Amino acid sequence: MNDAKRTPWVVGVSGASGTPYAAAVLRGLLAAGESVDLVVSRASRLTLLDETGIAFRDAHWREDLREWLARGADGKPDTFRVDVADVRHWAAGDLAAGPSSGSYPVKGMLIVPASTACVAGVALGLSKDLLQRTASVTLKERRRLVVAVRETPLNGQTLKHLVTLDEAGAVVLPASPAFYAGATHIQDLVDFVAGRVLDAAGVPHLLYRRWEGELGGSRTD
């Protein structure tokens, strides 16, 4: 793709449990023909290693990303086939990276999953790493910011931070799967949350069955 015409979504992955959510969102964006700029925090690499056994390395990020996105939510490898050619990776410590500036063209940012530490940093404008800096830039430029918080329970301070993000224009989207779509597998529950993130971003997808106003419509018995 011609970089001059490239306007990606930035996907930030923080250290909360829930790396399958991030993988499903990334697959959904790429399936929709969207470009992606990826920022994987230092803490999220530990979570990714724990949840999948994959060590995400800056020097080999493309191979590691391909292996990660091919894995199902149940941990089974080679479940999906994904082309990662239109993904650009930025190291979390690179504060001179493209997305750190408002003049760098992006459509918006999706933080999936978002830890409470990440939520606090963005709400307070700390910009301690590229993920937080890019979120701050997204807000100041009035671009779409979706924060898929995945933590439970939530204390009062975190709730205040989430209200701050809402008031700043972000979409606060708890990673809470629904069951009306007829989920029969863990991947269905993951895809529901990922689909709601993409809905908030305005990106079309077929990740879950939408409500059609019919009680029991998802049952096949």
Side-chain angles (χ1 to χ4, degrees):
M1 178 176 289
N2 186 341
D3 282 357
K5 297 180 180 179
R6 187 176 183 276
T7 308
W9 284 96
V10 179
V11 176
V13 186
S14 81
S17 177
T19 55
Y21 291 131
V25 167
L26 287 164
R27 287 192 298 265
L29 288 170
L30 295 172
E34 298 287 345
S35 301
V36 173
D37 276 21
L38 178 63
V39 181
V40 181
S41 76
R42 292 179 60 187
S44 70
R45 296 175 192 226
L46 297 176
T47 306
L48 183 63
L49 181 62
D50 182 58
E51 294 183 346
T52 70
I54 297 171
F56 194 90
R57 304 159 295 175
D58 287 339
H60 303 281
W61 69 267
R62 196 174 294 277
E63 301 96 300
D64 298 336
L65 176 64
R66 189 178 293 110
E67 181 184 359
W68 176 26
L69 298 191
R71 195 173 292 254
D74 59 0
K76 184 178 179 180
D78 301 320
T79 300
F80 300 98
R81 294 176 62 87
V82 184
D83 182 358
V84 299
D86 202 17
V87 178
R88 177 180 291 171
H89 167 258
W90 300 97
D94 184 5
L95 292 178
S100 68
S101 172
S103 66
Y104 183 81
V106 302
K107 292 182 178 179
M109 183 178 188
L110 316 175
I111 305 179
V112 188
S115 65
T116 53
C118 172
V119 166
V122 176
L124 297 173
L126 298 183
S127 297
K128 72 168 188 175
D129 61 9
L130 181 60
L131 195 159
Q132 291 185 9
R133 170 59 185 169
T134 302
S136 295
V137 168
T138 302
L139 289 175
K140 81 179 182 69
E141 297 294 328
R142 303 296 191 266
R143 296 168 180 158
R144 185 69 57 90
L145 174 64
V146 181
V147 180
V149 59
R150 206 242 50 87
E151 202 80 62
T152 189
L154 298 174
N155 64 29
Q157 197 60 50
T158 297
L159 291 170
K160 291 176 183 178
H161 290 151
L162 292 173
V163 170
T164 297
L165 291 179
D166 176 78
E167 291 175 343
V171 176
V172 175
L173 196 152
S176 302
F179 296 85
Y180 63 77
T184 59
H185 190 276
I186 186 174
Q187 189 67 55
D188 298 326
L189 298 175
V190 168
D191 284 347
F192 180 88
V193 172
R196 294 299 288 152
V197 171
L198 296 178
D199 286 345
V203 175
H205 66 87
L206 297 172
L207 286 176
Y208 69 88
R209 176 188 176 277
R210 296 184 182 278
W211 176 251
E212 296 177 349
E214 180 184 354
L215 292 176
S218 64
R219 293 200 300 269
T220 58
D221 57 337

